[in-house]
Amino acid sequence: MHVAKVIVDVPAGQIDHSFDYLIPQEWEDIIVPGIRVIVPFGPRKIQGIVVDTYMKTEETEFKLKAIDEPMDVTPVLTPELLQLANQLSEETLCFHIAALQVMLPAAMKAKYKKKVVLKSEPIPPEFLPLFQKGNIVSWEKAMELNLVPTLQRKARAKEIDFEIIYEVKEKNRKKVIKHVCLNIDRKMVDNEIDKLPPQAGKQKELLEILKNQQESIPIPELTKDYGISTATIRSLADKGIVKHLDVEVYRNPFEHKEFKRTEPLPLTAEQQKAIIPILKSVEEQSYESFLLYGVTGSGKTEVYLQTIQEVLKKGQEAIVLVPEISLTPQMVDRFKGRFGDQVAVLHSGLSIGEKYDEWRKIHRKEVKVVVGARSAIFAPFENLGVIIIDEEHESSYKQEENPKYHARDVAKLRGAYHQCPVILGSATPSLESFARAQKGVYTLLELSRRMNDRDLPSVEIVDMREELRSGNRSMFSTKLVELLQNRMEKKEQSVLFLNKRGYSSFVMCRDCGYVMNCPNCDLSMTYHRASSEMKCHYCDYRALVPTTCPECTSTYIRYFGTGTQKVEEEIARLFPEARVIRMDVDTTGRKGAHEKLLSAFERGEADILLGTQMIAKGLDFPNITLVGVLSADTMLHLPDFRASEKTFQLLTQVSGRAGRHEKPGEVVIQTYTPEHYSIELSGSQDYLAFYQKEMITRKQFQYPPFYYLTLINISHEEVMKAASIAENITSYLEKNLSSSSIILGPVASPIARINNRYRYQCLVKYKREPELTKHLKKIVHQFQEDKRNNGVYVSVDVQPYVLM
Ligand code: ADP
Ligand code: ZN
Ligand code: ZN
């Protein structure tokens, strides 16, 4: 008997393992690992994914239930990805089914209409009853006629080509184009033309066209190029001379765009030095991780492109991850420009159907390169030659919901499997990565100079405390106003960057920049309006809200934060004639809005681009010569141990937006704490100095990369319940973990309540804790299974990026 091990789509602790099902004989060829199936489960029919198959001898005691039917005819997950899902669910403590599903396009998860498409001609006689009306029929019909196994057998013997597709209903999107082709032997065409009456000129013309055409012709083309109406086609179809044909097309999000082909540039000596070890690893097919550390504009992307070129030459494939936010058309153009149709693009701006199409190109091996955001790391390539993660320090590579994976970790697993290089690129590498490169775990490659030795923009740090002292209470310093004015006169463009305040509020002295920090954790404390006190969200240290500054006794100490709208009003007041484009969550909500606003700015339709984080990356317009950062401090004082790192990265990145081309750029950074190293060093763009300084702090306060972290979140509708369970979990960990680990908490989470659920958290810092996963699993399971804890939700985040 053939038996399949199936992971069923029921996310629950006690069901998080595979179940055995009998494979019905007729499906034996089709049901293999990686195929999705419908199986009986209790009284229901549910979906599942086959992860393994094996032979079982007859003497089974209790009869196995049989699989109802397959949902695919070719595996949607490769053996590698099935194995990767095991590792993911183990390492991130998520359900197996969640790890499998994260690798599949959304179109497959929802209930969409499934169709069988016959892609080859002619139709073999046994399938005529199925494809009577056309080459696309419903899955149900194919099942009803019991033809799927035969289709699959023929396809495997390469006698026909067919595919299962998901029809995603989308407005204004065509997926199938109607074509016309001959329905009679080509030799008979002249004969038919002669038979037509003289007034049927258009019909004759159509037959002439079809006679000379090997393939079918799209109807829109006939109408547009030859002026042939649908009525003409219909009358020939009625006579049985021509027939309609549905030809499926990919929804191409870049349809209306021409890509200028680019050629590889001769590499500079530095680029050459960096690419040699990478190409060696490609050549030898050995797994190695590289950290390509190079300032913006130093030519990293060109190194990626030429590496991919070698990989393609070997017949292998490449995955390139870029942060969602920098998946701008500009970035995509560079890959499409070099590799044309061999590139698939995956980003969240695509509709479900578009994403599915791109995924399918990968699955059918029609493309060799995928450029995409985080989830593109799961591209179902089977012969990977390189994985590239650009801007590797970006926190968007970490998924915040289950499975809480980091794309970098997945890249390393896949790199090891395929024995290929993994390249992490950044101008401001994460501390973790740079530390690994220092230790030799990664090979460090450096690009120290900008192309053509173009200067980095000059950065001026403006002390806002001084501004206040000299009577300027506006959010714009005198210097920034002056430079903005100057740019408007010169008809050059400016970018104003407002660091988003985030969720929390901190209290700062506007006279001296003092911010209250927790003495234990070196984090800024958060102001709580309700209790009117300051709290540390790692260790729960509390203090009173100061009314005067403890440093300078000023009374200008208060809650801090500004929105983009307020800034826009202020710009209108200062420069009534300025044309401003505002980019924030409010103005970029709609699909395509982001791109539209950017290209309007590129066309010079505005003088000032005002925005939050989302404008920090990827902007590369020649006319931008001024970048202003309105308040560099807001991110610095988030209650997050990475606050300094994020501030440094962001400021460096924002500064990189100015003067990327011929015109030199200037940057103004406004701050109340100019002496803070992450602000001071971003002025000189000195990453190494920043790294050394920050490592000292991380060591002193026991943070990564010196310690690993795991965050446990507990939530419940009743505050007491949440608190007491958090208490239990903490003491369980205290009892079971080694004494070298540090357990902080439980404390109320920085976001203390979401959707009326109270949230508590507990943070574990550890260096080596081999049993931790085991204990965490136990915790997670207990709260899933224990009915008395109904309503409790416990989530675990291993190596968290968001500590709220
Ligand atoms: P990064 O990815 O490090 O920001 P890019 O690869 O985008 O840097 O390079 C910056 C600019 O320099 C681009 O306009 C690119 O076309 C150009 N460039 C890169 N490499 C070379 C080269 N070897 N010769 C000439 N120009 C180059
Ligand atoms: Zn002060
Ligand atoms: Zn603290």
Side-chain angles (χ1 to χ4, degrees), residues 112 373 401 467 470 626 703:
Y112 294 109
E401 64 261 32
E467 293 287 317
S470 60
L626 174 64
Y703 289 121

Side-chain angles (χ1 to χ4, degrees), residues 509 512 514 549 551-552:
C509 170
C512 75
Y514 169 83
C549 174
E551 292 280 313
C552 74

Side-chain angles (χ1 to χ4, degrees), residues 518 520-521 536 538-541:
C518 169
N520 309 319
C521 306
C536 168
Y538 283 19
C539 74
D540 213 25
Y541 177 84

